[in-house]
Amino acid sequence: VQLQAFGGGLVQAGGSLRLSCAASGRTFSNRAMAWFRQIPGKERELVGGVRWSDNNKYYADSVKGRFSLSRDNGKNTVFLQMNSLKPEDTAVYYCAATDVTYIIGFLWQAKAYKYWGQGTQVTVSS
């Protein structure tokens, strides 16, 4: 299984970016996809995710109202629309996926995800 992430870049504070992540693989059966972010010296933290079975979406408090997830079922792709970006959103963003159905509480944790994409850098200048 491969995850390909696109869309990072440099943007000014208040601007927007859209990240996309496509999952592919012959035996992959998607159950949830999510975005995490990480800055040097800190643990990877959840940004938001979506559980495929019921379209249940979950977001970190720090991004609620600014970031939104959408998905393309047929293409196993998830998009992260990031608006009103702040300098503290600067990080490497990683997409992740799992082929196991978990409760939402567990999906907040990085260990719930078996598959990870390459990171994409998001830099927000002040």
Side-chain angles (χ1 to χ4, degrees):
V1 175
Q2 290 185 324
L3 299 181
Q4 291 186 302
F6 304 94
L10 172 64
V11 64
Q12 288 188 330
S16 299
L17 282 174
R18 188 188 193 215
L19 306 183
S20 61
C21 178
S24 61
R26 295 181 65 182
T27 61
F28 181 63
S29 180
N30 201 2
R31 294 293 183 263
M33 293 182 75
W35 288 95
F36 286 76
R37 66 187 181 188
Q38 189 171 25
I39 60 176
K42 288 199 171 183
E43 289 188 1
R44 198 168 291 188
E45 65 171 6
L46 176 80
V47 176
V50 54
R51 188 169 62 185
W52 242 241
S53 60
D54 55 3
N55 202 36
N56 193 328
K57 298 174 185 176
Y58 38 100
Y59 299 94
D61 287 343
S62 59
V63 306
K64 279 182 182 177
R66 300 189 298 121
F67 292 11
S68 64
L69 285 158
S70 59
R71 69 188 216 191
D72 182 329
N73 293 353
K75 297 181 180 180
N76 270 326
T77 300
V78 66
F79 305 95
L80 180 67
Q81 179 66 43
M82 304 186 294
N83 299 326
S84 302
L85 282 160
K86 303 176 181 181
E88 51 264 42
D89 294 318
T90 295
V92 177
Y93 284 68
Y94 297 90
C95 65
T98 177
D99 52 9
V100 178
T101 299
Y102 291 118
I103 62 173
I104 291 296
F106 190 61
L107 288 170
W108 279 79
Q109 302 180 52
K111 63 184 179 182
Y113 301 88
K114 181 178 180 180
Y115 307 105
W116 290 85
Q118 86 285 7
T120 184
Q121 177 71 45
V122 171
T123 302
V124 184
S125 63
S126 57

